[in-house]
Amino acid sequence: ISFNSVDSSLSSLRNCQSYINTGMDIATHVALDLVESFNDVEDVNSMEKVMIEYAAMDRELNHYMRAIEETVNQIKREKPENIPDLKSLVHEKFTAMESKNSDSDLQKNEKYMYFKDQLKEMRKQFCHKSGNGEEAIEQIDEDIAVTQSQMNFICPITQMEMKRPVRNKICGHTYEEDAILKFIQTRKQQKKKVRCPKIGCSHSDVKGSDLMPDEALKRAIDSQNKQ
């Protein structure tokens, strides 16, 4: 049995998945723009709904591709004499996977989790600028908040203000992207693990795969430099 057409279909589905990922990236940036320009919470929430819809599409696509791959592998193992009904077998596996869906699945989507994380960080970085009257932060507290925030702008490796900050998903610390990647590469050549360079951090195995762009921090740094 030739599976060339199946491979071609899977390739097309993976392309569709890349479009979904791009859409989620755009939605994340729009939400951060909204927070930075102090738009209504309702507008930001609408972007979260968009992210959930994308996550649902991504889950459905993943299940369908998995159903196809499992069906093909099953046929290759069993080597039936007669050509089976591929469409029916795939549909059966796909339906079984979809029947186990839950809302918590969507909230575990990696890009949705990144969206929520960056939104939280963005609000934290820009919170000292919002509010008025009784809700406004006292000037002295605001100065302290800004000073503490600026301390987070400094890379623990270069001791300079970061331009392209990345955050470690494991311990939450941030570094200049080039600096941490070079650090990891050097230690790899020495066949040693990388301890988080942030003073006091106990995380002893920093990996490139655990690093993610910290768009919220980058925006806060850029905003501070414009003032």
Side-chain angles (χ1 to χ4, degrees):
I1 302 173
S2 174
F3 294 103
N4 289 339
S5 59
V6 175
D7 292 337
S8 176
S9 297
L10 280 172
S11 179
S12 296
L13 290 173
R14 289 190 187 97
N15 283 336
C16 289
Q17 197 166 38
S18 72
Y19 298 144
I20 290 174
N21 288 335
T22 300
M24 295 182 91
D25 288 341
I26 292 170
T28 299
H29 279 87
V30 169
L32 297 183
D33 285 341
L34 290 170
V35 175
E36 189 172 358
S37 53
F38 309 112
N39 276 266
D40 292 339
V41 173
E42 189 177 338
D43 292 334
V44 178
N45 289 343
S46 69
M47 297 314 300
E48 184 169 354
K49 290 176 184 175
V50 170
M51 289 295 289
I52 287 290
E53 289 173 8
Y54 271 128
M57 286 190 283
D58 186 61
R59 178 180 63 187
E60 186 175 347
L61 202 52
N62 275 326
H63 283 169
Y64 194 66
M65 289 192 292
R66 229 178 87 199
I68 292 173
E69 289 167 349
E70 287 183 8
T71 301
V72 168
N73 289 334
Q74 179 184 336
I75 292 170
K76 285 179 178 179
R77 279 196 315 271
E78 297 174 356
K79 298 177 181 177
E81 293 182 8
N82 299 317
I83 298 176
D85 186 346
L86 273 173
K87 186 176 180 180
S88 177
L89 288 173
V90 168
H91 180 71
E92 185 180 330
K93 289 183 183 295
F94 173 72
T95 303
M97 291 176 193
E98 286 285 292
S99 67
K100 297 176 183 177
N101 287 348
S102 70
D103 290 343
S104 62
D105 296 339
L106 302 180
Q107 291 169 359
K108 291 175 184 174
N109 177 282
E110 190 172 344
K111 283 194 176 289
Y112 176 75
M113 289 171 66
Y114 177 75
F115 169 87
K116 292 290 287 182
D117 175 79
Q118 286 291 284
L119 213 54
K120 179 182 174 184
E121 289 300 313
M122 194 72 178
R123 283 170 172 149
K124 193 190 300 180
Q125 295 291 347
F126 285 84
C127 69
H128 66 273
K129 296 180 182 179
S130 60
N132 51 51
E134 292 182 2
E135 295 179 358
I137 299 173
E138 294 294 336
Q139 184 62 44
I140 185 167
D141 291 335
E142 182 174 334
D143 289 342
I144 292 172
V146 173
T147 302
Q148 289 176 338
S149 181
Q150 286 173 331
M151 286 171 63
N152 295 329
F153 295 173
I154 305 300
C155 171
I157 303 171
T158 65
Q159 293 301 310
M160 296 174 66
E161 186 176 87
M162 291 179 278
K163 294 179 179 178
R164 293 178 63 184
V166 291
R167 188 144 56 88
N168 192 322
K169 290 188 287 186
I170 308 301
C171 64
H173 292 127
T174 51
Y175 333 96
E176 180 64 50
E177 183 177 28
D178 288 345
I180 188 64
L181 290 178
K182 285 177 182 176
F183 191 24
I184 291 172
Q185 184 60 32
T186 300
R187 299 293 283 177
K188 186 178 180 181
Q189 290 171 350
Q190 297 170 346
K191 296 183 179 178
K192 294 180 180 179
K193 290 183 178 180
V194 177
R195 176 175 286 278
C196 176
K198 185 75 173 179
I199 295 174
C201 183
S202 60
H203 182 48
S204 59
D205 191 12
V206 180
K207 298 175 181 175
S209 57
D210 293 331
L211 305 175
M212 59 181 185
D214 197 329
E215 179 67 22
L217 183 57
K218 184 180 185 304
R219 286 168 182 249
I221 294 171
D222 291 344
S223 175
Q224 183 67 33
N225 290 336
K226 287 176 184 174
Q227 291 177 8

